Amino acid sequence: MRGRVKVAGPSNWCGNEAERDAAERDEAERDEAERHEAERDRGGAHRRTGPPDDAHTGRPACGATGTLPRGTRVTRVTELPVVAGLPAPGRTLVMGVINVTPDSFSDGGSFFDHDAALRHGRELIAEGADILDVGGESTRPGAARVDPEEELRRTIPVIRALADEPAIRDGRTAISVDTMRAATARQAYEAGARLINDVSGGQADPAMIPTAAELGCAYVQMHWRGHSVDMQSRAHYQNVVTEVRDELARLADRALAAGIRADRLVLDPGFGFAKTGEHNWQLLQHLDVLHELGRPLLFAASRKRFLGTLLADPDGNPRPPLGRDDATTALTGWAAQHDFWAVRVHTVRPSRDAIAVVDRLRRTPGPGDS
Ligand code: PMM
């Protein structure tokens, strides 16, 4: 599951001084190579098995000490996971959040209005969102359930309208519905959603997993120990990392046994759900353990409370949610480094940029690679 870049080909790739000197003299040639490389980066494919794209010079940049010889092959040894039926651009995906709620902690009801939600969806697409996650129920700690009819009223018209957007129609971007209810998931699917994001992992509504299996769409199962109203009372662990892994494994087994297709199942550790800030940091420090689950992983820490606590002012007042975006972007880089399938965030462009940096580094061969 973990991605690595491998360089295959002549092993003395940094050792030719004459070639290096020539490269340093020829500024124009290097500029051209960089332009070419930028074009390659925009393509962004991870699977690289042919000769270097800068065949024009044969000298992709490899630091100040030398150049790759002509014919060197750069290969990503393992691939990032792909989820059937969803965009697969060859990097960590970015899922933009659209909370059609009056009370989400993270955006304070800014997109409760139908037109505002739609406008926001279009903005997220323009920023490069691969997935739009539309939700009608706040799951902030302490929140009460929203009425099922109200959840439908909030989400379905927004999903239906977004489904008409060119990026959705041509498959560049997909719609996800953030719901714990099978009935909402079904109507969202009929309106154009192709991913069900269920923070309860199938535990809130017994009809959810059979419904997701029947619809055949992608399904996110998050680690969850109970509804938001009292979930923080369940934040007790001996070892949060292995317990979250094992509880997710049991949820996944249940989903697969009920017919959810293995190539459509995504798991999520559920930062902030029945977890203290310290639990979140411990999970973040051991993301590799979650890969033992062998499934694509979703990373959703955007603007969460533990970041507000980290960034508290000198009087100890937590940084408000809208001031947590830079820290969120830092975590996106961390998630991308750890080969997460996708990050769920409130502002898309900074996360796309962070992923582009990690992706570029990943595909840069080092002197020791062979
Ligand atoms: N967190 C929230 C909502 N939906 N979905 C998944 N899969 N994982 C999460 O951690 C998650 C979620 C709560 O945050 P919000 O107010 O940003 O939507």
Side-chain angles (χ1 to χ4, degrees), residues 97 99 104-106 133 139 178 197 199 220 222 268 270-271 273 298 300 302 304 344 346:
V97 178
N99 283 323
S104 285
F105 80 93
S106 51
D133 189 37
T139 48
D178 187 342
N197 174 21
V199 298
V220 173
M222 197 193 77
D268 174 345
F271 296 109
F273 285 80
L298 174 64
S302 184
K304 287 198 173 167
R344 179 184 181 278
H346 297 85

Side-chain angles (χ1 to χ4, degrees), residues 87-103:
R91 54 166 166 73
T92 295
L93 303 186
V94 179
M95 173 189 274
V97 178
I98 307 176
N99 283 323
V100 195
T101 54
D103 56 345

Side-chain angles (χ1 to χ4, degrees), residues 182-233:
T184 307
R186 183 181 292 280
Q187 288 203 32
Y189 178 82
E190 284 161 5
R194 289 296 169 262
L195 171 67
I196 301 168
N197 174 21
D198 177 3
V199 298
S200 83
Q203 299 175 91
D205 181 348
M208 177 61 106
I209 288 179
T211 299
E214 180 201 325
L215 296 174
C217 59
Y219 181 56
V220 173
Q221 281 188 303
M222 197 193 77
H223 177 261
W224 189 82
R225 285 186 165 185
H227 284 290
S228 301
V229 66
D230 63 353
M231 65 180 171
Q232 290 313 94
S233 68

Side-chain angles (χ1 to χ4, degrees), residues 256-276:
L256 294 169
I260 302 241
R261 281 174 46 179
D263 62 355
R264 300 188 184 222
L265 182 61
V266 176
L267 301 177
D268 174 345
F271 296 109
F273 285 80
K275 291 167 197 83
T276 64

Side-chain angles (χ1 to χ4, degrees), residues 2 4 12 19 83 98 101 168 176 180 190 198 202 208 211 233 247 256 269 281 286 334:
R2 307 299 305 278
R4 288 282 175 272
N12 62 337
E19 191 177 50
V83 177
I98 307 176
T101 54
I168 306 287
S176 154
M180 293 182 263
E190 284 161 5
D198 177 3
M208 177 61 106
T211 299
S233 68
E247 288 171 36
L256 294 169
W281 289 113
H286 295 284
W334 186 244

Side-chain angles (χ1 to χ4, degrees), residues 109-131:
S110 310
F111 313 114
F112 187 38
D113 171 70
H114 174 89
D115 291 339
L118 214 52
R119 249 191 330 273
H120 189 52
R122 292 189 185 118
E123 282 162 11
L124 295 177
I125 290 173
E127 286 185 31
D130 303 293
I131 300 174

